[in-house]
Amino acid sequence: MKKLAIALSLIVAVFSAATPSSAADDVIRFGVAAEPYAPFSVKDASGNWQGWEIDLMNVVCKEMKAKCEIVDIAWDGIIPALLAKKFDVIWSSMSITDKRKEVIDFTDKYYYSPNVLVGAKADTRQFDVTKPETFKGVAVAAQSASLQATYLQDKFNGIAEMKIYPTLDDEIADIQAGRVDLMAAAGIQIQDFLKKPEGQAYEIKVTLPHEKMFGYGDGAGLRKEDTALRDRLNAALKAVRASGEYDTITKRYFDFDIYGD
């Protein structure tokens, strides 16, 4: 009997070691673009992620009672990395669009930002997207793989001088250096730069029209088969909005509503 009990104990121990607990299984990996995107996601001096989107992720994970981990990934490869299962959720200010929905699924939106063109206050030229000729010879910067880049290339190809950059920081550096006249950005996100001393010489010149290609707000991207995770995230997002936690987080970073209609 004693030998049988020992044998059974060994079997249980081996099985337990080979089968993680449900708590250990409940780890959700959030893919965040490695490039700084203040005030949504940026690393502090210690290399820790912080920002509005990170704070929202933390309360959403708390609501789901899940352990969440951040995986850094380059923006222009973020969808292929999701599909390759390098992480589980794109949590990086990704606009929900019909084109992207052909490849991946999305949660409900968690904020909305208009798209804008920023230029120097000293530049008195009038830019009008309904009059492409007003962009003739104008150097315009946009981030690679962004909706703004797609829009501008579609509307002003052969008219404006398009310059594509890996990150928004690169756009900002070149407009400050005088190498571009305008830079494209999300309206909410660019507020962080415009409020800084180095941004005081710049302003929003154009708010791009809300065309269908710009989508339905920004949300979390998931693999199409991960419907259960999508539903959990949607339920958690709804709960943190209803509880007031969403507004509490938002007030730390913005003095206006970023959710929209």
Side-chain angles (χ1 to χ4, degrees):
M1 275 305 277
K2 187 174 181 180
K3 288 182 179 180
L4 178 59
I6 293 172
L8 289 171
S9 298
L10 288 171
I11 291 170
V12 170
V14 170
F15 182 82
S16 298
T19 308
S21 67
S22 58
D25 280 343
D26 203 15
V27 176
I28 304 172
R29 300 167 299 163
F30 283 68
V32 174
E35 302 86 355
Y37 201 64
F40 292 95
S41 55
V42 63
K43 285 185 178 179
D44 62 20
S46 301
N48 298 313
W49 282 102
Q50 60 181 7
W52 181 88
E53 217 159 359
I54 306 304
D55 290 353
L56 181 64
M57 180 198 78
N58 289 333
V59 297
V60 164
C61 289
K62 182 179 177 183
E63 177 68 28
M64 295 190 297
K65 296 180 172 59
K67 179 182 178 182
C68 296
E69 298 175 350
I70 293 177
V71 177
D72 300 6
I73 196 77
W75 170 257
D76 58 5
I78 203 164
I79 289 179
L82 172 71
L83 298 177
K85 299 189 176 181
K86 293 183 179 179
F87 55 86
D88 306 304
V89 183
I90 295 175
W91 195 263
S92 201
S93 294
M94 178 168 278
S95 296
I96 304 166
T97 69
D98 290 332
K99 185 174 181 180
R100 285 172 175 158
K101 286 169 74 173
E102 293 174 4
V103 182
I104 62 174
D105 199 0
F106 284 93
T107 63
D108 299 334
K109 73 166 185 178
Y110 50 70
Y111 81 89
Y112 172 75
S113 176
N115 298 285
V116 301
L117 298 177
V118 170
K121 290 178 179 178
D123 189 343
T124 58
R125 289 176 291 179
Q126 298 297 308
F127 302 104
D128 185 342
V129 294
T130 67
K131 299 176 180 178
E133 64 273 14
T134 63
F135 288 85
K136 186 174 179 60
V138 177
V140 185
Q143 186 177 356
S144 63
S146 69
L147 294 175
Q148 297 102 338
T150 302
Y151 174 87
L152 293 169
Q153 287 169 331
D154 179 58
K155 298 292 184 181
F156 305 118
N157 186 37
I159 301 171
E161 180 188 354
M162 293 299 305
K163 295 191 175 184
I164 306 300
Y165 296 84
T167 71
L168 179 61
D169 283 352
D170 293 324
E171 288 184 61
I172 290 172
D174 264 19
I175 200 169
Q176 289 178 303
R179 287 187 282 267
V180 295
D181 303 302
L182 298 170
M183 63 176 179
I188 291 175
Q189 194 271 338
I190 201 62
Q191 294 297 323
D192 187 65
F193 166 69
L194 295 176
K195 289 178 181 179
K196 292 178 179 178
E198 59 268 33
Q200 295 302 299
Y202 303 90
E203 64 184 359
I204 293 174
K205 296 290 189 180
V206 179
T207 297
L208 300 178
H210 186 195
E211 296 194 5
K212 185 178 180 181
M213 66 165 292
F214 285 129
Y216 313 100
D218 291 46
L222 305 99
R223 292 179 290 273
K224 284 182 176 288
E225 64 268 25
D226 290 341
T227 54
L229 178 55
R230 180 202 62 204
D231 293 346
R232 287 182 69 195
L233 285 164
N234 278 338
L237 286 166
K238 185 177 181 180
V240 299
R241 278 185 52 76
S243 71
E245 288 182 282
Y246 181 96
D247 292 334
T248 298
I249 292 168
T250 299
K251 287 174 183 176
R252 296 177 197 156
Y253 299 91
F254 305 101
D255 54 8
F256 55 92
D257 173 41
I258 69 168
Y259 190 79
D261 298 328

